[in-house]
């Protein structure tokens, strides 16, 4: 069976998808037509969906998951979905978003998200009445902003600020759920999963993240090859991809949200000199550090 590749581009151009809002990092889906026989698909973005009514079931990376009314499903990138079974009354609201914007929204709290997604695999959770009430009111406010004129000043920034608030609230919810689950039934993890957790913690707490995989592996007392294999198995991303994601977000944060000079940022993030830093920024952002700072 042909597998669809779900990207922002594919979502915004699919005639069967009713897009409520989209920018370069976020797509909000209002409805999907002809949903009864969806094809196998591989996502290249994060997904968050709330089931409004009915029930859906599918194979997610080899594991059968189902979502019912008043449940939320959150999935990381590089997930393969197939073998869908959907009730005729199934309704949902969904959002697809890049890892870049997720890093920007959560920054130092990204560890909570990673723990839920990559360690506990807490993909499906039931919303309590207070959660439903909170997100219902929140969605109404978001809907007002989305319905405003597309040329309204700072429209994208306002919408993304609201989304950031929602993600922060969800991280708090994930943290509480995780603590409760661990208290009731401690999570049993393999040696590889424990190593992956230690790597993420080291990466998130290290100020100078721009280091080699070998450097991180040495601190964890394993080989770089083994560390990368463990990361790939647990998250679908190599150790180097994890490092790059965090370095890129640190660069964006330092340039766009602090008054540090470029020389100071180089020292803070572990770059040898401004010339090397400028080359790295151009490679990953397509512009110079000064241009990125002026956005």
């Amino acid at each position: 069976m042909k597998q669809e590749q779900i990207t922002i581009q594919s979502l915004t151009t699919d005639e069967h998808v009713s897009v409520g809002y989209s920018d370069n990092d976020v797509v909000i889906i209002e409805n999907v037509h002809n949903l009864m026989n969806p094809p196998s698909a591989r996502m290249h973005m994060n997904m968050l969906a709330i089931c409004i009514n009915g029930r859906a079931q599918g194979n997610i990376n080899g594991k059968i998951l189902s979502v019912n009314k008043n449940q939320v499903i959150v999935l990381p990138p590089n997930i393969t979905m197939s073998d869908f079974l959907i009730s005729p009354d199934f309704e949902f609201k969904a959002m697809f978003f890049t890892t870049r914007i997720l890093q920007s929204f959560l920054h130092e709290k990204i560890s909570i998200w990673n723990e839920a997604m990559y360690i506990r695999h807490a993909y499906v959770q039931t919303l309590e009445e207070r959660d439903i009430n909170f997100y219902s009111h929140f969605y109404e406010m978001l809907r007002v902003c989305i319905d405003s004129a597309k040329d309204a000043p700072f429209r994208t920034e306002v919408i993304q600020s609201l989304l950031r608030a929602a993600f922060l609230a969800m991280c708090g919810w994930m943290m509480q759920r995780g603590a409760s689950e661990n208290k009731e039934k401690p999570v049993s993890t393999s040696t590889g999963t424990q190593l992956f957790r230690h790597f993420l913690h080291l990466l998130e707490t290290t100020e100078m993240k721009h280091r080699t995989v070998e450097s991180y592996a040495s601190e964890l007392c394993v080989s770089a090859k083994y560390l990368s294999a463990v990361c790939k198995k647990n998250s679908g991303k190599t150790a180097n991809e994890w490092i790059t994601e965090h370095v890129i977000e640190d660069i964006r944060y330092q340039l766009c949200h602090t008054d540090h000079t470029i020389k100071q940022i180089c020292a803070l993030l572990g770059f040898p000199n401004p010339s090397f830093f400028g080359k790295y920024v151009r490679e990953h952002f397509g512009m110079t550090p000064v241009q990125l700072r002026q956005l």
Side-chain angles (χ1 to χ4, degrees), residues 161-214:
S161 294
L162 284 172
L163 291 175
R164 179 176 185 271
F167 274 92
L168 287 172
M170 178 157 285
C171 269
W173 178 58
M174 285 177 168
M175 187 169 63
Q176 288 181 325
R177 289 293 178 95
S180 176
E181 289 172 8
N182 290 340
K183 187 176 181 181
E184 293 175 7
K185 185 180 179 181
V187 178
S188 176
T189 56
S190 66
T191 302
T193 303
Q194 290 175 353
L195 173 62
F196 178 59
R197 176 182 276 148
H198 292 326
F199 169 67
L200 288 184
H201 178 72
L202 179 61
L203 182 59
E204 288 150 4
T205 56
T206 297
E207 190 167 11
M208 289 187 180
K209 297 180 175 62
H210 185 248
R211 296 157 51 193
T212 63
V213 176
E214 287 78 10

Side-chain angles (χ1 to χ4, degrees), residues 38-55:
S40 172
R42 184 171 181 81
M43 294 197 310
H44 293 276
M45 295 173 293
N46 300 272
M47 184 193 82
L48 185 155
I50 297 177
C51 180
I52 307 300
N53 198 35
R55 181 176 185 273

Side-chain angles (χ1 to χ4, degrees), residues 11-287:
L11 285 170
T12 54
T13 57
D14 191 333
E15 62 181 4
H16 299 123
V17 176
S18 295
V19 177
Y21 170 80
S22 68
D23 57 36
N24 291 330
D25 291 294
V26 178
V27 177
I28 297 176
I29 302 299
E30 297 286 348
N31 192 21
V32 176
H33 313 291
N34 300 327
L35 193 62
M36 296 311 297
N37 294 297
S40 172
R42 184 171 181 81
M43 294 197 310
H44 293 276
M45 295 173 293
N46 300 272
M47 184 193 82
L48 185 155
I50 297 177
C51 180
I52 307 300
N53 198 35
R55 181 176 185 273
Q57 176 181 296
N59 186 313
I60 308 295
N61 275 7
K63 182 179 180 181
I64 300 298
L65 290 180
S66 62
V67 59
N68 301 287
K69 182 178 180 180
N70 295 338
Q71 285 189 318
V72 59
I73 181 168
V74 188
L75 298 174
N78 303 313
I79 288 284
T80 298
M81 304 181 294
S82 61
D83 303 325
F84 296 96
L85 293 173
I86 297 170
S87 67
D89 58 343
F90 181 65
E91 295 179 43
F92 72 104
K93 302 287 185 184
M95 177 165 60
F96 295 82
F97 47 97
T98 63
T99 297
R100 189 209 74 77
I101 200 69
L102 180 65
Q103 290 268 6
S104 177
F105 284 162
L106 300 181
H107 201 52
E108 74 280 0
K109 297 177 180 64
I110 193 68
S111 59
I112 300 170
W113 182 277
N114 290 337
E115 174 77 16
M117 292 296 100
Y118 298 108
I119 305 297
R120 294 192 291 112
H121 302 289
Y123 296 154
V124 179
Q125 296 287 342
T126 301
L127 296 172
E128 297 179 4
E129 190 64 36
R130 64 180 180 181
D131 301 320
I132 296 170
N133 186 53
F134 173 84
Y135 284 107
S136 294
H137 283 81
F138 186 91
Y139 185 77
E140 289 174 8
M141 187 188 309
L142 182 63
R143 183 74 263 170
V144 170
C145 294
I146 289 174
D147 289 340
S148 63
K150 290 189 176 182
D151 59 351
F154 312 119
R155 177 176 179 264
T156 298
E157 289 87 344
V158 170
I159 290 171
Q160 290 193 353
S161 294
L162 284 172
L163 291 175
R164 179 176 185 271
F167 274 92
L168 287 172
M170 178 157 285
C171 269
W173 178 58
M174 285 177 168
M175 187 169 63
Q176 288 181 325
R177 289 293 178 95
S180 176
E181 289 172 8
N182 290 340
K183 187 176 181 181
E184 293 175 7
K185 185 180 179 181
V187 178
S188 176
T189 56
S190 66
T191 302
T193 303
Q194 290 175 353
L195 173 62
F196 178 59
R197 176 182 276 148
H198 292 326
F199 169 67
L200 288 184
H201 178 72
L202 179 61
L203 182 59
E204 288 150 4
T205 56
T206 297
E207 190 167 11
M208 289 187 180
K209 297 180 175 62
H210 185 248
R211 296 157 51 193
T212 63
V213 176
E214 287 78 10
S215 173
Y216 284 97
S218 178
E219 283 198 47
L220 295 167
C221 301
V222 297
S223 71
K225 184 177 180 180
Y226 180 64
L227 176 60
S228 200
V230 165
C231 290
K232 189 72 174 179
K233 180 179 179 181
N234 280 270
S235 67
K237 294 186 283 191
T238 65
N240 190 59
E241 287 173 324
W242 275 102
I243 294 167
T244 300
E245 280 183 8
H246 279 70
V247 172
I248 287 173
E249 180 50 35
D250 275 3
I251 290 172
R252 188 190 306 276
Y253 177 79
Q254 289 293 335
L255 286 173
C256 300
H257 300 286
T258 76
D259 294 325
H260 293 140
T261 66
I262 290 176
K263 188 175 181 180
Q264 288 173 325
I265 293 172
C266 287
L268 283 170
L269 301 185
F271 286 86
N273 54 64
S275 176
F276 187 87
F277 177 71
K279 182 179 178 181
Y280 189 93
V281 172
R282 285 192 296 273
E283 179 183 345
H284 291 282
F285 292 92
M287 61 187 77

